[in-house]
Amino acid sequence: MQAEQIAKALGNAKKIGRGWLASCPLPGHGQGHGDKNPSLSISDGDDGKPLFKCHSGCDQHELFAAIRDFGLLPDIEIRDPLASIKPLPALQAPVLDREWVYVDEDGEPLFVKQRYKTGTAKGKDYKLVSIGPDGAKRYSMSGTRLVPYRFPELLNAKTAGRTIFLTEGEKAADALVSIGVIATSAHAGSGSWPEEITQYFAGAVVIMVPDNDLAGWKYAHKVAAALVPVVKSLRILDLPVEAATDDAWEWVNVLGGTRQELVELAKVSPLVASADDVTVPARLVAAQETVAPEQPQTAPGNVH
C-alpha cells in the first residue's frame, strides 16, 4: 500500500511535497487527545516501502505496530539469520574398543595400550596408559619400563628354542597365538621400533610378519636393522593375503590360515642377514606406482 493510501486511511491526509501528512494513530499521541493537527509524515521509499516519522516524537516501533494493527502494513516475516545454516554434525565421542595389557616377567601389568573408535576419517585412535606399582593409572609413559607384547611367552619361547613370530600390532599377534604359535609385537606400531625392547630378542629365532602394504615392509626394514645384530636368526614371511593393509588377523580369521600352513610358509621364507635383505614385494611397488605414478618410487628391491 502506497503512502497516499495509508495517509487517507489514517485521516486528515494532506499532500506535502513528495509525501503526505496524516494523523498519528498512536493512542498516547497528544497526551491521549489524539493528533488533531496532522503530524505524521508518510513517504514512499526507494525500495517501495513506506517511511514514517511522527514530528511529535512518538516511538517509531510503536508507530509501526499501530499502523500494522490498522491493517495498513503487511505482516513482516521475521527471519532467523541462522536458519539457513546447517549445524555441524555432532562429534562422536571416542569409545574404548579394545585394550592390550603389557606385563613383566612375572605377569605384573606395566602399561596398557587402548584403542578407541572415533568419528575421525581414520576411525580409530590409540592411547597408552602406564600402571604404577600401586595399580594407579596415568596417561604418561615417562619412566615406564618398555617390554614386548606377551613378554613372558616370548622369554619362555627363547628358553625352549621355539620360533617367535613378530607382527606389527597386538591384534595380528593374538590371531597367530590363536592357531597355536608364539607371537609378539611392539607397542609403537609401524611408526618406530622401541630400541629398549631389542635386548629381549637376543638369541631368539624370529620370523617377522609384515602387514600387506609399503608401511608394513618399511617397518620390517626398521625391525631387521635392530634385531639382526642380536637374534639367532631372522626371517621375513610374506603372508598370502588379498587386500592392501591385510595382516595376520585377516589371514587367520578371514582366509582360514592354519598353524601347519604358517609353519610351511616360515620354512621357505628368506633368511635376513642385514636390513638390506628386506625387499618390498613387487606387487606392492606396482600398486603404488599405479596409484601415484608421479611420485618417486622405491624400485623392486631394498627398502630405504
Side-chain angles (χ1 to χ4, degrees):
M1 188 176 289
Q2 302 301 311
E4 179 182 359
Q5 296 171 287
I6 296 173
K8 290 179 178 179
L10 292 175
N12 295 322
K14 295 181 181 180
K15 183 75 168 71
I16 302 292
R18 297 179 57 187
W20 288 79
L21 278 178
S23 295
C24 176
L26 287 178
H29 186 96
Q31 297 182 348
H33 300 296
D35 187 12
K36 297 178 181 179
N37 296 314
S39 57
L40 176 65
S41 293
I42 309 171
S43 61
D44 292 318
D46 294 337
D47 58 358
K49 296 180 180 179
L51 304 175
F52 305 96
K53 179 177 176 60
C54 180
H55 295 282
S56 293
C58 289
D59 183 82
Q60 192 78 354
H61 293 289
E62 293 180 1
L63 180 61
F64 269 88
I67 295 173
R68 188 177 299 110
D69 290 343
F70 272 83
L72 301 177
L73 291 174
D75 290 335
I76 299 175
E77 180 184 358
I78 301 176
R79 296 183 178 181
D80 181 358
L82 301 179
S84 62
I85 301 177
K86 296 181 179 180
L88 291 173
L91 294 177
Q92 177 185 340
V95 177
L96 181 61
D97 178 47
R98 185 82 179 268
E99 289 186 320
W100 294 277
V101 182
Y102 282 68
V103 301
D104 65 13
E105 299 91 334
D106 301 317
E108 294 297 322
L110 295 172
F111 60 93
V112 178
K113 184 174 179 180
Q114 298 177 331
R115 184 179 66 194
Y116 288 83
K117 289 183 178 179
T118 68
T120 63
K122 191 174 182 180
K124 60 183 178 180
D125 192 16
Y126 294 91
K127 292 183 179 180
L128 294 172
V129 183
S130 64
I131 302 176
D134 59 351
K137 296 181 179 180
R138 59 190 178 94
Y139 286 93
S140 171
M141 293 295 286
S142 177
T144 302
R145 181 188 176 193
L146 300 181
V147 298
Y149 184 51
R150 294 182 170 271
F151 186 40
E153 293 121 288
L154 181 154
L155 295 179
N156 291 335
K158 278 208 313 178
T159 301
R162 294 185 61 184
T163 298
I164 299 167
F165 289 86
L166 175 59
T167 66
E168 189 175 311
E170 298 85 0
K171 182 180 175 183
D174 288 341
L176 293 184
V177 170
S178 72
I179 60 174
V181 299
I182 304 298
T184 186
S185 70
H187 70 278
S190 64
S192 63
W193 174 260
E195 288 296 336
E196 297 93 329
I197 71 172
T198 298
Q199 59 182 314
Y200 302 120
F201 291 86
V205 176
V206 179
I207 297 182
M208 176 68 189
V209 187
D211 287 4
N212 188 39
D213 55 18
L214 286 178
W217 283 82
K218 289 180 180 179
Y219 179 61
H221 184 270
K222 297 175 186 177
V223 172
L227 295 190
V228 164
V230 302
V231 297
K232 183 176 181 179
S233 67
L234 175 66
R235 294 178 183 269
I236 303 294
L237 192 160
D238 184 14
L239 277 178
V241 289
E242 298 176 348
T245 74
D246 276 0
D247 58 23
W249 189 91
E250 282 81 14
W251 185 75
V252 171
N253 294 283
V254 178
L255 300 178
T258 66
R259 181 180 186 279
Q260 185 58 39
E261 290 172 334
L262 187 68
V263 170
E264 294 301 321
L265 288 169
K267 288 179 180 178
V268 296
S269 296
L271 280 168
V272 175
S274 75
D276 291 336
D277 293 335
V278 180
T279 57
V280 178
R283 69 178 184 281
L284 296 178
V285 176
Q288 183 72 3
E289 290 173 345
T290 300
V291 172
E294 74 280 1
Q295 298 295 326
Q297 301 298 321
T298 303
N302 296 338
V303 179
H304 297 290

